[in-house]
């Protein structure tokens, strides 16, 4: 039985998300899978409760089933100079199912072939230009870490879905998430929540002139994007980077294969609902190509993207999932953005498995016909 997320008064803009209480993913019938498939693209984020017994093999097989055209490779592929990448410091592949990544906080022992590993929950302190003080974090103030979709954005196409499995969560306590961008915006969240926003909502929130601009814009991602951005720092909202000229130059990056550079439309089509999503990973963008013309100015590119995406992360539009042990969250990775959240202490423990698989398919573009309802007819 599927229950749509009922938003609180403060979440008035959350029109996505669903919870299922009576499904066993270790014994999933074909019929139930078809319903689940439909639900993930229709509701964007689906939480399946009480799945603590699910194995990494089952999680991997389930993730692949959402995309039969998968290329059986973890969504980021094999990363060049991974130790410097802003991704690799947060994840560890499981030895027997390397498509499934172990992440969390604290020391894990004898875990699916991993003898011992010290995990660290991503902290904004290593990624944002400005930081909260230690005292603020000790007093349970936090931020969004990085708004993103799970995607290599170089060589490989973005995974269609991500499965995120909350095996063990820290003792629950509330934290106040601050945007720290001059708006005064805050959000009351559970410690270690995962925050989601809908790309469909992001598109619908755009004023008319920006909807039309988005329709004729392509997004060019940087080569080796997570190395390229490795010395740059993010905005306090976690939504894209500050422009301080810290990006790595072509000479500083591994060899670039021009064929691997990804240029995608700014708007992607939902394969089940046919709805339009504004789907951009802001931190990894190198340029915007508007009507065939590159902007060619990274600072202006980022300012325009921020203007387009910032309304979507307003507090009322954020679904901050409150994890319970055994929650399996499956989300439409090409339809939402998400962010790690939380200032964890040394005494907090968190164990998660994450899986997403690169797709052979490019995202679905939005056609003239799809966009027609949003076109203002000349009077």
């Amino acid at each position: 039985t599927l229950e749509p997320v009922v938003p609180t008064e403060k979440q008035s803009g959350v029109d996505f998300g669903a919870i299922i209480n009576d499904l066993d993913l270790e014994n999933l019938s074909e019929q139930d899978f078809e319903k689940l498939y439909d639900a993930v693209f229709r509701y964007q984020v689906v939480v399946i409760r009480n799945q603590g017994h699910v194995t990494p093999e089952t999680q991997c097989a389930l993730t692949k089933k959402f995309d039969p055209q998968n290329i059986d490779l973890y969504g980021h592929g094999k990363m060049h100079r991974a130790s410097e990448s802003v991704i690799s410091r947060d994840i560890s592949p499981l030895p027997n199912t390397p498509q499934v990544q172990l992440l969390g906080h604290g020391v894990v022992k004898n875990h699916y072939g991993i003898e011992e590993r010290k995990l660290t929950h991503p902290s904004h302190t290593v990624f944002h230009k400005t930081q909260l003080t230690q005292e603020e974090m000790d007093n349970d103030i936090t931020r969004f870490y990085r708004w993103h979709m799970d995607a290599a954005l170089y060589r490989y196409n973005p995974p269609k879905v991500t499965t995120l499995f909350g095996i063990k969560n820290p003792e629950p306590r509330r934290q106040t998430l601050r945007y720290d961008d001059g708006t005064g915006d805050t959000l009351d969240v559970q410690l270690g929540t995962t925050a989601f926003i809908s790309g469909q909502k992001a598109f619908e929130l755009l004023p008319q002139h920006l909807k039309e601009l988005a329709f004729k814009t392509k997004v060019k991602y940087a080569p080796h994007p997570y190395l390229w951005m490795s010395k740059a720092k993010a905005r306090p909202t976690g939504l894209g980077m500050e422009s301080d000229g810290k990006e790595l130059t072509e000479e500083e990056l591994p060899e670039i294969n021009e064929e691997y550079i990804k240029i995608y439309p700014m708007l992607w089509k939902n394969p089940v609902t046919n709805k339009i999503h504004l789907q951009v990973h802001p931190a990894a963008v190198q340029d915007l190509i508007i009507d065939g013309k590159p902007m060619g100015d990274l600072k202006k590119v980022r300012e325009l993207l921020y203007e387009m995406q910032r309304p979507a992360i307003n507090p009322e539009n954020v679904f901050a999932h409150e994890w319970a042990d055994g929650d399996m969250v499956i989300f439409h990775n090409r339809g939402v953005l998400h962010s790690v959240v939380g200032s964890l202490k040394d005494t907090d423990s968190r164990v998660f498995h994450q899986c997403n698989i690169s797709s052979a398919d490019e995202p679905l573009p939005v056609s003239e016909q799809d966009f027609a309802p949003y076109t203002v007819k000349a009077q």
Side-chain angles (χ1 to χ4, degrees):
T1 320
L2 184 137
E3 300 164 19
V5 165
V6 180
T8 63
E9 278 177 30
K10 288 183 176 170
Q11 290 178 305
S12 57
V14 173
D15 54 4
F16 64 102
I19 294 170
I20 299 175
N21 281 302
D22 56 357
L23 202 57
D24 177 0
L25 293 173
E26 283 289 353
N27 297 288
L28 190 63
S29 70
E30 204 50 49
Q31 191 181 6
D32 281 340
F33 174 75
E34 282 172 17
K35 287 185 196 159
L36 181 60
Y37 179 94
D38 184 79
V40 167
F41 291 98
R42 214 170 277 287
Y43 289 95
Q44 314 294 339
V45 179
V46 175
V47 181
I48 304 155
R49 302 274 194 203
N50 309 313
Q51 301 303 306
H53 57 295
V54 168
T55 64
E57 290 77 10
T58 299
Q59 183 176 356
C60 179
L62 176 66
T63 308
K64 287 183 190 174
K65 206 169 159 72
F66 276 87
D67 181 18
Q69 297 302 316
N70 73 78
I71 58 173
D72 198 15
L73 187 67
Y74 177 62
H76 280 277
K78 293 184 174 42
M79 289 175 280
H80 290 269
R81 297 195 343 226
S83 61
E84 297 166 52
S85 157
V86 302
I87 299 291
S88 62
R89 57 186 173 212
D90 303 328
I91 55 179
S92 311
L94 296 179
N96 301 328
T97 34
Q99 304 92 333
V100 178
Q101 308 289 327
L102 170 66
L103 43 133
H105 196 72
V107 176
V108 172
K109 293 182 178 176
N110 302 323
H111 185 88
Y112 294 105
I114 291 177
E115 281 183 25
E116 187 170 325
R117 184 74 42 89
K118 185 177 190 298
L119 304 174
T120 305
H121 187 72
S123 166
H124 81 280
T125 55
V126 297
F127 190 59
H128 291 197
K129 185 174 178 179
T130 63
Q131 282 106 36
L132 300 170
T133 63
Q134 190 58 51
E135 187 183 8
E136 286 172 322
M137 291 189 284
D138 290 343
N139 288 325
D140 287 318
I141 306 291
T142 190
R143 284 184 181 175
F144 297 120
Y145 173 63
R146 171 169 62 237
W147 284 105
H148 67 288
M149 59 181 144
D150 294 329
L153 301 168
Y154 177 74
R155 188 174 184 179
Y156 304 108
N157 287 319
K160 292 180 181 174
V161 303
T162 291
T163 53
L164 195 52
F165 181 26
I167 299 168
K168 180 171 188 276
N169 289 278
E171 284 289 313
R173 60 178 189 268
R174 306 307 294 180
Q175 296 202 315
T176 299
L177 185 150
R178 287 202 328 226
Y179 286 60
D180 283 342
D181 64 345
T183 58
D185 283 349
T186 61
L187 194 62
D188 171 59
V189 295
Q190 179 199 44
L191 175 70
T193 184
T194 305
F196 295 92
I197 57 121
S198 159
Q200 181 193 323
K201 184 79 175 180
F203 170 71
E204 287 166 3
L205 287 167
L206 291 175
Q208 182 61 27
H209 72 285
L210 290 180
K211 282 193 178 83
E212 290 175 13
L213 182 80
F215 179 57
K216 58 187 184 183
T217 298
K218 287 190 160 59
V219 178
K220 182 184 182 188
Y221 288 101
H224 306 286
Y226 302 101
L227 274 174
W228 173 77
M229 71 169 83
S230 58
K231 293 182 178 168
K233 296 294 181 190
R235 294 173 182 264
T237 50
L239 187 69
M241 311 303 282
E242 300 278 9
S243 297
D244 296 320
K246 301 252 177 96
E247 291 71 27
L248 269 57
T249 62
E250 285 198 9
E251 294 70 39
E252 294 172 296
L253 289 170
E255 190 178 342
I256 295 166
N257 183 331
E258 291 296 325
E259 288 176 17
Y260 291 170
I261 289 178
K262 290 297 180 193
I263 299 177
Y264 291 124
M266 187 177 270
L267 302 179
W268 298 1
K269 183 158 78 168
N270 184 311
V272 169
T273 65
N274 291 331
K275 295 268 175 67
I276 297 174
H277 294 250
L278 172 67
Q279 197 64 15
V280 180
H281 185 323
V285 175
Q286 190 173 37
D287 207 353
L288 294 176
I289 302 164
I290 303 170
D291 254 346
K293 292 191 220 39
M295 277 180 81
D297 180 328
L298 186 57
K299 192 172 192 312
K300 287 185 175 157
V301 162
R302 286 173 170 161
E303 283 166 3
L304 175 58
L305 271 178
Y306 198 73
E307 181 190 353
M308 296 174 91
Q309 290 185 294
R310 175 61 180 83
I313 69 161
N314 278 354
E316 69 272 15
N317 298 323
V318 175
F319 170 46
H321 174 54
E322 306 208 344
W323 288 97
D325 291 357
D327 281 359
M328 178 74 79
V329 171
I330 308 177
F331 61 87
H332 174 207
N333 183 51
R334 295 178 171 194
V336 298
L337 295 183
H338 63 286
S339 176
V340 166
V341 178
S343 304
L344 273 67
K345 299 177 179 170
D346 290 344
T347 48
D348 291 320
S349 172
R350 188 177 192 261
V351 182
F352 273 55
H353 286 173
Q354 180 224 50
C355 183
N356 55 62
I357 310 280
S358 295
S359 182
D361 303 332
E362 296 220 336
L364 290 175
V366 172
S367 68
E368 294 273 358
Q369 192 177 351
D370 299 323
F371 192 73
Y374 297 95
T375 310
V376 175
K377 306 277 185 294
Q379 296 300 324

